Amino acid sequence: MNKLNIWVLMLIPIIGFGQGDLLSEYEKAEILLQTNQIDSAYVKFNELEKSLTKNDTLYEYALWYKVMSATHLEEVNRLNENFEKSLEFGLDALDGIEKGKEIFDDEFAQREFFMVKNITVSQYGLDKFAEGKKWKTKMYDAKEKNLLPEGLDEYFNFDFFKFDDKNVWGYEWLAELPEDRFSSSFTKVVYYVYSTNPDGSDKDQLYRLHVLMFHGDEKFDYVMDKRLETATEDIAGTLYAYTYDENIDFEKLKNDVKQIIKGNLEPNTKRTTTVGKDGKVNVDVELDGGKH
């Protein structure tokens, strides 16, 4: 949901290396980074990482910049919905991160699950829902083992797509459906719908689509609920045409979200929020034609 951050590569000077040809290739890769030719630099560092032995002093530098350049290219392609490429770069970055965990610090190691999350987004972007579920399982397993870093320990981004000049971000909460349906208001998934700037980045959050735990006795576990942010001309409410079992069918969910964005169906309950002269917020709820 955030705008693409500008990534600045801080190059580490290399002094005293031998191995003429490999050092020459490293220097070429370094120049490519300095001139912002990230694609070509990635190719060079990737080749170097594969050519060098792990006990070579140059290896860790090649590995570091391979991961950094692959990470950058993964993000650029993912945000432009080039999911085949973002998946390719994501898998290669993850491979480098796993190798680098034994070399670099804990902060570097925390990149692992952020990349797992990104790979999940690419799988869902390609409509590979079964593969996406496998990568989600890695997040749940890490949650159980208390391995997730701050920022991923409660929820994670699993889906992103552009639709009708809007950016749509899917987030999933790691908590499981509570046995006591009346113990809390529980949301498992939220799709955030944004308007866009001319460059395609997020502008304003228009509304949120919550996959919300249902408190009744019907034979479903979740129901879709639309909550407004800046889209004041829209109607908020519960969409009983869209219901889900505990084991959510995410292919159906994604198609449902697209249908809702199209505006094909109105909520079965409508909430209108007004602010009175006394400053109090009033919410009118209308059920199939009658106010409550």
Side-chain angles (χ1 to χ4, degrees), residues 7 9-11 26-42 45 65-66 68-69:
W7 177 55
L9 289 165
M10 303 300 294
L11 298 174
Y26 181 89
E27 290 170 344
K28 290 177 183 177
E30 196 175 54
I31 292 170
L32 290 169
L33 284 180
Q34 290 172 327
T35 55
N36 204 35
Q37 299 178 67
I38 309 302
D39 297 73
S40 299
Y42 161 76
F45 284 121
Y65 288 120
K66 166 193 168 175
M68 295 302 104
S69 54

Side-chain angles (χ1 to χ4, degrees), residues 112-165:
E112 176 181 5
F113 291 106
F114 285 98
M115 193 54 63
V116 169
K117 176 265 296 182
N118 293 342
I119 290 169
T120 304
V121 174
S122 292
Q123 297 285 10
Y124 275 85
L126 293 167
D127 291 338
K128 295 182 177 179
F129 299 98
E131 285 299 313
K133 185 176 182 179
K134 291 177 184 177
W135 286 92
K136 277 185 181 179
T137 299
K138 295 178 184 292
M139 301 294 289
Y140 280 89
D141 289 345
K143 172 68 173 179
E144 188 174 341
K145 297 173 183 176
N146 200 31
L147 296 176
L148 292 176
E150 185 178 355
L152 291 178
D153 52 340
E154 294 184 13
Y155 53 86
F156 63 97
N157 173 218
F158 73 92
D159 197 8
F160 169 74
F161 58 93
K162 297 176 183 291
F163 192 78
D164 284 357
D165 72 6

Side-chain angles (χ1 to χ4, degrees), residues 107 152 182 196 241 261:
E107 184 176 350
L152 291 178
F182 296 94
T196 55
I261 294 172

Side-chain angles (χ1 to χ4, degrees), residues 95-229:
D95 174 71
I97 292 166
E98 290 171 344
K99 293 174 181 175
K101 287 193 296 185
E102 300 177 0
I103 301 172
F104 305 116
D105 57 17
D106 291 341
E107 184 176 350
F108 180 89
Q110 288 183 355
R111 296 171 181 270
E112 176 181 5
F113 291 106
F114 285 98
M115 193 54 63
V116 169
K117 176 265 296 182
N118 293 342
I119 290 169
T120 304
V121 174
S122 292
Q123 297 285 10
Y124 275 85
L126 293 167
D127 291 338
K128 295 182 177 179
F129 299 98
E131 285 299 313
K133 185 176 182 179
K134 291 177 184 177
W135 286 92
K136 277 185 181 179
T137 299
K138 295 178 184 292
M139 301 294 289
Y140 280 89
D141 289 345
K143 172 68 173 179
E144 188 174 341
K145 297 173 183 176
N146 200 31
L147 296 176
L148 292 176
E150 185 178 355
L152 291 178
D153 52 340
E154 294 184 13
Y155 53 86
F156 63 97
N157 173 218
F158 73 92
D159 197 8
F160 169 74
F161 58 93
K162 297 176 183 291
F163 192 78
D164 284 357
D165 72 6
K166 297 175 179 64
N167 286 344
V168 186
W169 301 82
Y171 279 73
E172 181 170 340
W173 268 248
L174 288 158
E176 301 290 355
L177 189 71
E179 290 185 13
D180 183 358
R181 299 293 177 88
F182 296 94
S183 62
S184 63
S185 179
F186 176 77
T187 295
K188 184 61 178 176
V189 176
V190 179
Y191 272 91
Y192 298 85
V193 181
Y194 281 78
S195 62
T196 55
N197 293 304
D199 65 357
S201 60
D202 295 341
K203 185 179 180 182
D204 298 314
Q205 187 186 131
L206 302 174
Y207 51 86
R208 308 186 309 275
L209 299 171
H210 287 241
V211 179
L212 186 68
M213 177 178 65
F214 185 67
H215 291 88
D217 297 324
E218 279 77 359
K219 294 181 180 180
F220 56 86
D221 300 298
Y222 295 104
V223 64
M224 187 74 80
D225 194 72
K226 183 178 180 181
R227 301 180 183 182
L228 302 185
E229 287 295 329

